[in-house]
Amino acid sequence: MPTQTTGATDSALAEPVISVDGLSVRFHKSRRNRSVRDLLFKGQSGVRAGEFWALRRVTFDVQHGEAIGVIGRNGQGKSTLLKALAGVLMPDDGTVEVRGGVAPLIEITGGFVGDLTVRDNITLTAGLHGMNKEQVAGCFDDIVEFAEIENFLDAPYKHLSSGMRVRVAFAVVSRLEEPILLVDEVLAVGDRAFREKCWERIEELIDDGRTLFLVSHNARDLKRFCSRGLYMQEGKLIMDAPIAEVLEQYHADSDEAAELRREQVSKRKEDRERAIADDPSTVGESNDGTSSRETRNKDKKAERPRRVDDDDDDYDTY
């Protein structure tokens, strides 16, 4: 778990607010595997069958007030890195030291209770993040106004749409007085106007001297908020540079990967056409006059489960 130090002095501000040294996190392919043996014997260089390194030997420092964009394709360790910084995940190797509290905008709807009202959830979640009753009461109206949720305060939280849930969660977490802000693609389900409202709030926090970690695939947002970029690939930090340079390299790698995929698709198509030319029977007609390909498609459709429409529900079941 990250070591957190509060009450920073002027001399402490000269130190990195985050120090990550050789951070490695190991996952099991079907679950997060942390046995007693894992806790007692850390620092193994390899992995057992069915395991993989989600993060491997990641090292960097972050100074007070920096705005950092974390970049990479899906599944490369970006979200795992933020969870390690937030203290949600324990390192299997290496260390994470966080000097100050963290406001985690990571899966921010987690922790809300569906059967409780929106009003109760605001109070509960703010309390779980460290606010006392006076602090919650002092910012409650601001949270409600920001989330535009006045007419639904006494409705069960589970009845809200996904976008409305994100509104409430963001409004609560963004009011925390923590010096480090972790943001992980949490606004993807919000409407455009509310997303812009959230970005403006984040800009206010940055101007107030907060340290920002932003995971995003949106180059415009990354350039808007961040001056430094961390490029993650297969769980490793492969580039730490100004955000413009990191984005340029990421886009170049993405274009190269896209070209490789196109070549692979083209090769498979050529191989298929060559196989048909060598064995015309693969597209021959059956006794009923249909091609073998059409017959196979009919067989596949016949094997699919039949859709049953339930007039009492607004969705289909199989």
Side-chain angles (χ1 to χ4, degrees), residues 230-241:
L230 303 180
Y231 184 2
M232 301 296 299
Q233 190 174 93
E234 297 181 351
K236 299 177 182 179
L237 177 59
I238 65 169
M239 189 174 183
D240 180 352

Side-chain angles (χ1 to χ4, degrees), residues 64 88 207 316:
H64 174 77
V88 177
D207 292 341
D316 295 329

Side-chain angles (χ1 to χ4, degrees), residues 28-286:
H28 193 278
K29 289 183 179 178
S30 60
R31 65 186 184 281
R32 178 78 169 106
N33 187 23
R34 295 309 305 273
S35 66
V36 174
R37 182 178 184 277
D38 292 330
L39 293 174
L40 294 177
F41 301 99
K42 298 174 64 175
Q44 302 177 54
S45 59
V47 292
R48 295 190 290 272
E51 296 179 340
F52 68 97
W53 290 109
L55 293 175
R56 194 60 173 142
R57 300 190 182 97
V58 176
T59 298
F60 60 88
D61 290 330
V62 179
Q63 299 298 324
H64 174 77
E66 279 196 282
I68 296 175
V70 187
I71 302 167
R73 297 173 57 200
N74 292 332
Q76 305 303 303
K78 304 185 303 298
S79 297
T80 303
L81 174 60
L82 262 63
K83 290 177 181 178
L85 297 177
V88 177
L89 294 177
M90 294 177 60
D92 289 284
D93 198 8
T95 61
V96 177
E97 186 174 3
V98 179
R99 300 177 179 89
V102 173
L105 297 174
I106 308 171
E107 300 177 1
I108 54 178
T109 57
F112 285 76
V113 181
D115 290 327
L116 294 182
T117 65
V118 173
R119 184 190 306 274
D120 290 339
N121 267 293
I122 290 174
T123 302
L124 172 64
T125 305
L128 291 174
H129 282 291
M131 287 189 182
N132 57 40
K133 290 183 179 180
E134 291 74 18
Q135 289 173 323
V136 175
C139 66
F140 185 87
D141 290 342
D142 292 335
I143 291 172
V144 172
E145 181 181 0
F146 188 93
E148 302 171 12
I149 201 77
E150 297 90 344
N151 297 328
F152 302 95
L153 281 176
D154 296 311
Y157 181 78
K158 64 184 179 182
H159 290 170
L160 299 182
S161 68
S162 58
M164 293 296 284
R165 294 179 187 181
V166 168
R167 287 185 177 209
V168 175
F170 183 92
V172 172
V173 177
S174 66
R175 292 292 163 180
L176 300 178
E177 297 294 331
E178 305 292 4
I180 301 170
L181 184 63
L182 308 179
V183 184
D184 184 9
E185 295 280 18
V186 293
L187 304 178
V189 297
D191 59 79
R192 182 175 180 179
F194 187 76
R195 282 202 304 271
E196 184 57 33
K197 188 177 182 179
C198 293
W199 293 136
E200 290 174 358
R201 173 60 180 159
I202 290 175
E203 282 184 328
E204 292 176 6
L205 296 175
I206 295 174
D207 292 341
D208 194 39
R210 309 291 178 89
T211 301
L212 172 69
F213 259 83
L214 173 63
V215 170
S216 178
H217 294 283
N218 190 311
R220 182 177 60 183
D221 291 337
L222 290 164
K223 290 179 179 178
R224 174 178 177 179
F225 297 107
C226 305
S227 58
R228 176 182 170 192
L230 303 180
Y231 184 2
M232 301 296 299
Q233 190 174 93
E234 297 181 351
K236 299 177 182 179
L237 177 59
I238 65 169
M239 189 174 183
D240 180 352
I243 189 67
E245 296 179 18
V246 173
L247 282 171
E248 182 179 1
Q249 183 61 52
Y250 171 65
H251 290 151
D253 292 347
S254 298
D255 292 342
E256 183 178 343
E259 180 61 28
L260 179 59
R261 286 195 298 272
R262 285 192 291 267
E263 292 176 357
Q264 292 172 340
V265 170
S266 178
K267 185 177 185 303
R268 285 197 296 270
K269 182 178 179 180
E270 292 174 359
D271 291 343
R272 187 164 55 249
E273 292 175 347
R274 189 179 300 110
I276 292 173
D278 294 340
D279 185 6
S281 62
T282 57
V283 291
E285 291 188 347
S286 61

